Amino acid sequence: MKISLLGLGTIVMLGGLGGQAAIAADCATDPKNLLATRNCGFSKGIDGWTSVHDRAASYESSDGQPTKGALAGDDHEGSLQLKAPCIPVQTDTAYRISARLRVVSGSLYVCGYSAFEADDASCENASAPLAADARPPEATWQQMSGETRTGASAKSVQLWLNCSGEKGFRVLFDDIEFAAK
């Protein structure tokens, strides 16, 4: 399925949530993954990844996919937003996005990702939506994936992980990729 984000001319291919897709064994081993050296697999912590609006983010050492270690998000306000480190990108280039996630507790409506491109190298002007996808999550590990293309003035991208649900949920994310196709 293709979706054109109005006014942007950006095409997003949504892969949705599914089983184990054909990707690298883990995100850090993919040489095309721009997050490979930016703690994409959370094997030793969540350094570089932050919460938005004082939402709680923590490290889960006993769970993860494909290996132990995950980014955990807890929220008691009914929503959660976590930000990846800012990554440099090439203009007018195709990229794939993927993340593994699972619900640990509580009731969630949707979880997914959104990506914002910036015309500077530090994501300071990251206001242009690049891609987004959200689906109902499950208690087992799932993979969400999609494709996008950066715009003519893109210099950096910031990926956000987003969830909404009833107050008191916990969700895990792991093996995040933003990779050149």
Side-chain angles (χ1 to χ4, degrees):
M1 170 171 54
K2 293 183 182 181
I3 296 176
S4 176
L5 298 174
L6 296 175
L8 299 176
T10 302
I11 301 296
V12 180
M13 300 281 295
L14 303 177
L17 292 174
Q20 302 300 324
I23 62 168
D26 82 39
C27 61
T29 63
D30 184 348
K32 293 183 177 183
N33 183 11
L34 301 179
L35 289 167
T37 61
R38 311 294 299 276
N39 199 15
C40 63
F42 311 107
S43 61
K44 297 179 182 168
I46 61 170
D47 292 341
W49 294 73
T50 59
S51 298
V52 177
H53 306 296
D54 298 323
R55 306 288 197 249
S58 60
Y59 177 61
E60 176 58 58
S61 62
S62 64
D63 200 346
Q65 175 62 267
T67 60
K68 299 237 185 264
L71 173 63
D74 295 285
D75 192 80
H76 301 286
E77 302 292 323
S79 66
L80 175 70
Q81 293 179 310
L82 306 170
K83 290 194 305 186
C86 180
I87 50 177
V89 294
Q90 300 295 314
T91 60
D92 193 29
T93 301
Y95 290 94
R96 76 181 185 305
I97 303 167
S98 69
R100 291 187 176 127
L101 64 141
R102 83 175 191 86
V103 177
V104 176
S105 62
S107 181
L108 278 88
Y109 309 133
V110 295
C111 280
Y113 62 81
S114 52
F116 297 89
E117 68 181 1
D119 61 4
D120 65 336
S122 60
C123 294
E124 293 290 322
N125 298 324
S127 59
L130 177 63
D133 192 10
R135 306 290 169 100
E138 296 180 7
T140 58
W141 282 102
Q142 303 166 282
Q143 182 168 321
M144 176 173 273
S145 60
E147 297 177 357
T148 192
R149 178 173 288 278
T150 54
S153 63
K155 292 190 174 117
S156 63
V157 165
Q158 188 156 51
L159 188 65
W160 290 36
L161 305 172
N162 312 290
C163 294
S164 68
E166 294 180 17
K167 291 181 182 179
F169 65 77
R170 181 174 178 82
V171 64
L172 298 179
F173 292 94
D174 203 358
D175 211 43
I176 313 296
E177 290 197 358
F178 192 90
K181 286 191 62 178

